[in-house]
């Protein structure tokens, strides 16, 4: 398959809700295979379709390196619906809750997340699935579903960390309105 460029925070596709998948086509199967390749090349643990500029409600994940993740630590979810507990943005542990994002490369900030999360949806064959996790897997399920709803993790930060994130984004030039992408194989960002 192929490694696709990853959209950066200034890209409009990251700030709009995605569309429900009505039918899994060969095009969608190719997209998912490319998403796994892209996630692996970028050394990520999750990737939503809109992070590669496609507005379908799909994400892939791979938390297999976390021994606490369990048997459902790698997969794809089509049309995920998230269940989680409510969390205050001020409850992030500055030492233990750092989160990063392939669409905000090189940055990480303490991000409050529920200790537990579950997504329900379907696999590529239309079978109903439910993925439940705590720790890294739970965080990943929440993070990727946020992407599909048009939200980035930096929106969930405390006021102080939001300011730090805005400064880092401005310093890197990502607030530019032109379409921004980065190539995970070269680790270089470009404005198109």
């Amino acid at each position: 398959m192929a490694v696709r460029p990853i959209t950066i925070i200034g890209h409009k596709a990251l700030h709009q809700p995605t569309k429900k998948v009505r039918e899994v086509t060969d095009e969608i199967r190719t997209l998912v295979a490319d998403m796994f390749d892209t996630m692996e090349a970028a050394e990520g643990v999750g990737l939503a379709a809109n992070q590669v500029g496609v507005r379908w409600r799909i994400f892939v994940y791979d938390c297999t390196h976390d021994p606490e993740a369990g048997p459902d630590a790698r997969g794809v979810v089509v049309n995920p619906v998230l269940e989680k507990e409510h969390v205050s943005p001020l409850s992030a542990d500055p030492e233990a809750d750092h989160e990063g994002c392939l669409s905000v490369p090189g940055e990480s900030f303490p991000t409050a997340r529920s200790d537990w999360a579950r997504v329900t949806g379907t696999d590529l064959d239309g079978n109903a699935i439910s993925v439940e996790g705590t720790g890294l897997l739970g965080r990943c399920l929440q993070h990727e579903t946020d992407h599909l709803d048009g939200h980035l993790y930096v929106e969930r930060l405390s006021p102080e960390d939001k300011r730090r994130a805005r400064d880092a984004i401005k310093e890197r030039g990502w607030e530019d309105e032109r379409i921004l992408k980065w190539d995970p194989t070269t680790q270089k960002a470009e404005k198109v």
Side-chain angles (χ1 to χ4, degrees):
M1 293 298 136
V3 174
R4 296 186 183 204
I6 297 173
T7 56
I8 296 176
I9 190 169
H11 194 292
K12 68 180 180 178
L14 295 173
H15 305 284
Q16 301 170 343
T18 52
K19 300 180 289 185
K20 186 174 182 177
V21 174
R22 304 262 182 235
E23 176 186 3
V24 174
T25 62
D26 288 342
E27 179 183 331
I28 287 178
R29 288 181 187 280
T30 299
L31 167 67
V32 168
D34 289 354
M35 287 171 64
F36 274 113
D37 289 347
T38 303
M39 177 180 61
E40 183 178 313
E43 299 179 3
V45 297
L47 187 69
N50 54 345
Q51 288 184 274
V52 292
V54 180
R55 290 196 48 219
W56 291 118
R57 192 165 182 80
I58 303 169
F59 73 78
V60 299
Y61 62 98
D62 187 347
C63 299
T64 53
H65 67 283
D66 181 0
E68 297 177 19
D72 294 328
R74 185 177 195 277
V76 57
V77 184
V78 178
N79 299 325
V81 175
L82 176 68
E83 297 174 60
K84 65 179 178 82
E85 299 165 344
H86 175 74
V87 176
S88 165
L90 301 177
S91 68
D93 180 340
E95 301 299 319
D97 290 338
H98 270 257
E99 190 169 313
C101 179
L102 297 177
S103 291
V104 189
E107 302 297 333
S108 70
F109 297 95
T111 308
R113 295 283 186 185
S114 171
D115 291 333
W116 167 89
R118 173 177 36 226
V119 293
T120 54
T122 63
D123 64 16
L124 290 177
D125 296 320
N127 300 311
I129 59 171
S130 177
V131 181
E132 185 173 339
T134 59
L136 179 63
L137 180 56
R139 182 174 290 276
C140 179
L141 298 174
Q142 294 169 75
H143 182 108
E144 299 311 324
T145 304
D146 270 358
H147 273 301
L148 299 177
D149 292 337
H151 302 288
L152 294 170
Y153 85 105
V154 294
E155 297 169 30
R156 295 195 175 277
L157 302 177
S158 70
E160 179 183 332
D161 286 326
K162 276 185 184 178
R163 280 190 297 279
R164 289 179 44 227
R166 276 194 302 269
D167 290 347
I169 289 163
K170 184 177 180 180
E171 184 176 310
R172 291 180 185 265
W174 294 338
E175 78 285 353
D176 193 313
E177 292 181 8
R178 291 180 284 173
I179 297 174
L180 303 170
K181 297 182 179 187
W182 75 277
D183 183 336
T185 57
T186 64
Q187 300 289 312
K188 292 184 180 178
E190 63 183 53
K191 295 177 183 176
V192 219

